[in-house]
Amino acid sequence: MEEINYIKNNLKIYNTLTGKKELFKTIHKKHVGIYVCGPTVYNHLHLGNCRTFVSFDIVFRYLKHLGYKVRYVRNITDVGHLENDLEDKISKKSRIEGLEPMEIVQKYTLSFHNLLSILNVLPPSIEPTATGHLIEQIDMIKELIKRNLAYEINGSVYFNLKEYKKLYPYGILSKNKIDKLFNKKLNFSEEKRNLQDFSLWKRAHPSHIMSWNSPWGKGFPGWHIECTAMSTKYLGEIFDIHGGGIDLKFPHHECELAQAIGVYNKNYLAHYWMHTNMLTLNGKKMSKSTGNFLELKDLIHNKFCKKTFFPSIIRFFILQSHYRSVMDFSNQGLMNAEKGYYRIMKAVKILKNLHPKTLTMNHHVFDVFYWIKSCYKAINDDFNIPLLISHLFEATHVVNSFSINDIGKSHVNLLKKYMIYFVFDILGLQEQKKEINPSEEKFQILIERLIKFRTEARKQKNWILSDRIREELSYIGIPFHDDKLF
Ligand code: AMP
Ligand code: ZN
């Protein structure tokens, strides 16, 4: 046991800031502060976004499992994220859908929460919104102006990179060299002094609904400043982990970092910077703007495979690749994940129902202690979940082939205990309420027909019947959610 505890205290995390795997040491004993950039709520999440949030859910779950008191802050971007440096994404969507911007925010925040709860992603400890923290952002901008690291022009405020670079190195996270860009010519339309100066506050056109009073007139905050303001408000000037997708590394995270260094005059914002890699579809990044994406609902009722997938299978599929590797979506991968999921669940069920009296001792067949250590070693190696999963399959093989009786009573109990830790607490998988045979074609047809009946019932406003069908479906482990909720 001592050895297991020793291994548990050896978590290594790949730190983008240093480009190395480093031993995880917290700033405050037994406490961890983690900030992850949340979604811009103008659309339903696609599967790529889900991958990033599931990956950090594993980090959150594992740190809690190790006994840390974790404060996990994940924001909601409800203002300031511009599309091609022009229009606010939420304003644009409100124009398209004919809704108030805050109706858009409400609609897609609900959808975000709903999707992540389907995937059994735990809610963060704090979920601050950008519009709820305008005072903090304005204060931070004022401080940057005071330190000559920002300047105001016509009601907008920009970060002054040239001045910043005289005091601090820029590009430490992304390793981008921006010196050559300083001499590049600006467009006529651009009022900032240098091409790489980014906006902290943008003046708003009088017709712009999403604008607020500030010392520089009516406007709205830039995207980067919100994360610096919210992370430091809840986690302090320096905290343990900062996370997000790798596409945010530059410019978003680099700018967050520069703002924090500029205001607090410290070396960095977070000790460890973690970046998840992209989920691709047909070899290209999943993204709403290019139309190259899949949503969760496309997989739960998968038209291509003509199958229904329990959400935990989709979660399990996401976990098949290491979070720092690019992962390409494929139906085959999803089907394999399904098979693997059922194998593991079968083993868990056998373990749960085993009668300890029937067991005899022989621990040469399967060394449970060695197995537990290997599992922890895998997670501790920068969250190597695919390796952990391969260890889970080793145990699954032993359990499902009934050679488990050779392991020994106390060891079986140990195996059961740790299998439950790894499968449910850390990987966050869930059991289906009733087991179904996923390859049963007739069953699939029946489900599709039931869903059709339900759609007809809804058309006829027969809510009692439609609710009843939904309840029945979820009872047999087929979660059903109306489109509007996605
Ligand atoms: P957004 O709402 O666009 O800011 O994205 C929310 C989170 O999803 C960010 O951390 C992004 O880096 C991440 N993300 C976006 N696209 C993908 C993708 N294709 N694969 C994995 N993560 C992604
Ligand atoms: Zn952010």
Side-chain angles (χ1 to χ4, degrees):
M1 270 306 163
E2 255 173 47
E3 223 181 324
I4 291 176
N5 283 335
Y6 171 78
I7 289 171
K8 279 166 83 173
N9 287 327
N10 272 285
L11 170 62
K12 284 197 175 134
I13 296 182
Y14 180 86
N15 188 354
T16 315
L17 201 59
T18 56
K20 289 189 196 121
K21 274 187 204 167
E22 292 171 6
L23 191 65
F24 181 60
K25 284 199 185 122
T26 55
I27 297 171
H28 305 289
K29 205 167 174 236
K30 282 287 155 201
H31 284 73
V32 178
I34 169 163
Y35 184 88
V36 170
C37 294
T40 307
V41 280
Y42 73 108
N43 242 329
H44 300 298
L45 288 192
H46 57 65
L47 205 65
N49 305 131
C50 294
R51 179 186 188 197
T52 288
F53 297 122
V54 167
S55 302
F56 285 108
D57 186 48
I58 299 284
V59 175
F60 183 33
R61 282 168 179 274
Y62 188 56
L63 291 171
K64 287 206 304 179
H65 172 83
L66 292 182
Y68 290 108
K69 194 166 184 312
V70 187
R71 182 177 294 167
Y72 176 21
V73 183
R74 191 185 63 209
N75 71 303
I76 295 280
T77 298
D78 57 354
V79 68
H81 197 168
L82 302 187
E83 195 162 276
N84 302 326
D85 244 358
L86 292 168
E87 194 175 2
D88 185 291
K89 289 185 178 192
I90 288 161
S91 288
K92 184 175 172 191
K93 202 60 190 293
S94 82
R95 206 163 36 73
I96 294 169
E97 293 197 20
L99 293 171
E100 270 285 317
M102 277 301 143
E103 283 181 302
I104 292 291
V105 166
Q106 181 72 5
K107 176 179 172 181
Y108 292 107
T109 303
L110 282 176
S111 160
F112 169 65
H113 288 156
N114 184 44
L115 283 170
L116 290 195
S117 89
I118 291 173
L119 284 174
N120 201 26
V121 171
L122 298 175
S125 331
I126 304 177
E127 193 170 54
T129 62
T131 54
H133 294 77
L134 288 161
I135 294 169
E136 289 82 352
Q137 295 174 72
I138 289 172
D139 281 350
M140 207 163 242
I141 299 170
K142 282 203 255 178
E143 189 59 32
L144 287 170
I145 294 177
K146 211 158 84 190
R147 300 199 64 213
N148 195 29
L149 295 173
Y151 55 90
E152 188 246 338
I153 289 182
N154 303 327
S156 292
V157 183
Y158 297 96
F159 192 86
N160 191 339
L161 262 177
K162 213 163 199 171
E163 283 306 315
Y164 179 84
K165 281 211 65 173
K166 287 180 191 163
L167 300 172
Y168 313 101
Y170 182 74
I172 51 175
L173 187 65
S174 59
K175 323 289 177 233
N176 277 348
K177 303 236 177 308
I178 61 153
D179 287 4
K180 359 183 217 313
L181 291 166
F182 274 124
N183 300 326
K184 273 207 177 159
K185 283 236 160 67
L186 290 162
N187 288 331
F188 276 130
S189 58
E190 286 182 287
E191 57 192 6
K192 53 190 180 182
R193 294 182 193 159
N194 285 295
L195 197 64
Q196 292 298 313
D197 292 352
F198 54 90
S199 46
L200 299 166
W201 187 264
K202 277 287 223 191
R203 83 179 158 274
H205 189 268
S207 64
H208 198 104
I209 317 172
M210 298 182 77
S211 64
W212 292 266
N213 288 325
S214 78
W216 318 286
K218 276 209 153 190
F220 55 92
W223 173 34
H224 315 311
I225 194 77
E226 67 166 276
C227 285
T228 311
M230 292 187 276
S231 59
T232 54
K233 177 174 170 116
Y234 296 110
L235 300 172
E237 293 171 13
I238 295 187
F239 50 91
D240 297 295
I241 303 175
H242 190 306
I246 202 153
D247 57 335
L248 300 188
K249 189 166 68 169
F250 187 85
H252 183 56
H253 289 165
E254 195 73 70
C255 296
E256 270 184 48
L257 186 56
Q259 290 162 164
I261 294 173
V263 171
Y264 299 117
N265 198 22
K266 299 258 164 79
N267 285 345
Y268 29 69
L269 174 61
H271 276 181
Y272 304 88
W273 288 75
M274 293 180 72
H275 289 100
T276 52
N277 217 320
M278 296 290 105
L279 183 68
T280 57
L281 180 64
N282 303 317
K284 292 199 185 85
K285 179 190 165 190
M286 258 196 213
S287 150
K288 284 259 162 158
S289 55
T290 55
N292 185 48
F293 68 90
L294 282 172
E295 285 182 14
L296 193 60
K297 68 168 193 256
D298 299 328
L299 301 191
I300 289 182
H301 310 292
N302 194 318
K303 290 172 224 134
F304 313 105
C305 308
K306 292 211 163 113
K307 272 173 67 70
T308 311
F309 288 91
F310 184 60
S312 261
I313 295 169
I314 299 164
R315 185 175 167 112
F316 191 54
F317 164 74
I318 288 173
L319 296 175
Q320 302 295 311
S321 293
H322 188 262
Y323 79 89
R324 280 194 293 119
S325 310
V326 173
M327 178 181 200
D328 197 43
F329 174 81
S330 74
N331 270 316
Q332 191 52 51
L334 191 59
M335 308 271 264
N336 293 343
E338 183 184 51
K339 279 190 205 132
Y341 166 85
Y342 284 113
R343 261 171 40 218
I344 288 180
M345 287 304 158
K346 186 177 160 197
V348 170
K349 203 169 163 188
I350 292 175
L351 278 172
K352 277 186 175 172
N353 296 330
L354 262 186
H355 201 293
K357 277 192 188 142
T358 61
L359 308 169
T360 52
M361 282 292 264
N362 177 6
H363 27 102
H364 299 295
V365 181
F366 183 75
D367 185 337
V368 180
F369 278 103
Y370 182 78
W371 176 80
I372 296 170
K373 282 186 275 175
S374 307
C375 290
Y376 277 115
K377 270 189 190 160
I379 316 175
N380 280 349
D381 185 14
D382 190 30
F383 299 93
N384 194 339
I385 301 301
L387 186 57
L388 169 70
I389 291 174
S390 76
H391 294 319
L392 295 183
F393 282 133
E394 287 159 18
T396 297
H397 178 72
V398 176
V399 177
N400 290 353
S401 60
F402 294 101
S403 49
I404 185 127
N405 282 355
D406 297 331
I407 301 174
K409 179 180 163 185
S410 61
H411 288 199
V412 169
N413 283 336
L414 212 57
L415 178 61
K416 177 158 108 186
K417 179 173 154 189
Y418 280 88
M419 202 58 178
I420 287 170
Y421 278 160
F422 295 129
V423 172
F424 298 114
D425 298 0
I426 297 168
L427 293 190
L429 300 180
Q430 288 173 307
E431 270 174 300
Q432 267 186 319
K433 286 196 186 124
K434 255 189 180 174
E435 248 180 64
I436 56 163
N437 181 351
S439 57
E440 186 67 77
E441 213 175 293
K442 283 188 185 145
F443 175 81
Q444 297 298 335
I445 295 168
L446 189 64
I447 296 296
E448 273 167 31
R449 291 194 75 107
L450 265 178
I451 292 172
K452 236 177 168 176
F453 276 144
R454 185 169 178 275
T455 312
E456 277 166 25
R458 280 168 62 78
K459 271 192 200 144
Q460 290 160 8
K461 300 204 185 330
N462 189 344
W463 308 120
I464 297 173
L465 181 62
S466 80
D467 283 353
R468 183 74 204 282
I469 298 174
R470 190 187 52 202
E471 278 160 21
E472 290 296 325
L473 284 171
S474 85
Y475 177 71
I476 57 166
I478 310 287
F480 193 84
H481 297 273
D482 297 324
D483 268 1
K484 63 176 183 207
L485 288 176
F486 279 99

